[in-house]
Amino acid sequence: MKLTKFKALVSLDAQADGAELPAEGCPFTLREKGAEHRLNAFHKVVMSTDDGEPLRPGDVNHVVTMTLLTGKTGADELAAGCRFDLWHGDKVGHGLVSRRLVI
C-alpha cells in the first residue's frame, strides 16, 4: 500500500472557537467539495502544521501536511487544486490541496 501525503492550505472557521479541535496527529475527516455524491468523497486524514504551531479557530491559509488514512485514491482525487471541507464532529474549516505526494 502506498502512503499518500499532500500539502494544503487550511482555514478554520471562527465559529470553531469553543469546539474541541484535535491535537496534532489526531484524525480529521476531509470531504471533497463538488464530490459529495460519491461514496469515496470522505477521507480520514492526520494533519500536522508545517510551522509547528497548533491550528486555532480563525486561522487562514495555514500550511499543513496531511496523511491519508483511508486507503487508495484515484489519480484525480485530492489532486492539486482540490477544494475540501474539514470535519471534526461538525464542519470546522476548509482547504485547498497545493500538491500531492505519493510515497
Side-chain angles (χ1 to χ4, degrees):
M1 181 174 115
K2 290 183 178 178
L3 183 63
T4 302
K5 289 187 172 194
F6 50 98
K7 296 282 188 181
L9 296 174
V10 169
S11 297
L12 293 184
D13 299 338
Q15 302 91 296
D17 197 13
E20 188 167 331
L21 296 175
E24 187 169 312
C26 293
F28 277 93
T29 300
L30 177 150
R31 183 184 75 182
E32 294 176 66
K33 285 192 175 186
E36 293 87 352
H37 62 282
R38 288 196 337 246
L39 289 175
N40 58 350
F42 292 87
H43 307 279
K44 277 280 198 220
V45 295
V46 172
M47 185 167 30
S48 63
T49 59
D50 284 17
D51 62 6
E53 293 293 319
L55 289 171
R56 293 185 178 89
D59 276 357
V60 177
N61 292 335
H62 207 127
V63 179
V64 300
T65 300
M66 294 183 167
T67 303
L68 190 66
L69 300 176
T70 52
K72 295 201 279 188
T73 60
D76 60 336
E77 295 176 282
L78 302 175
C82 175
R83 295 188 178 277
F84 58 87
D85 288 325
L86 273 179
W87 291 74
H88 186 68
D90 200 2
K91 183 179 176 283
V92 295
H94 61 276
L96 172 71
V97 174
S98 59
R99 71 186 148 137
R100 184 173 162 184
L101 311 161
V102 179
I103 300 171

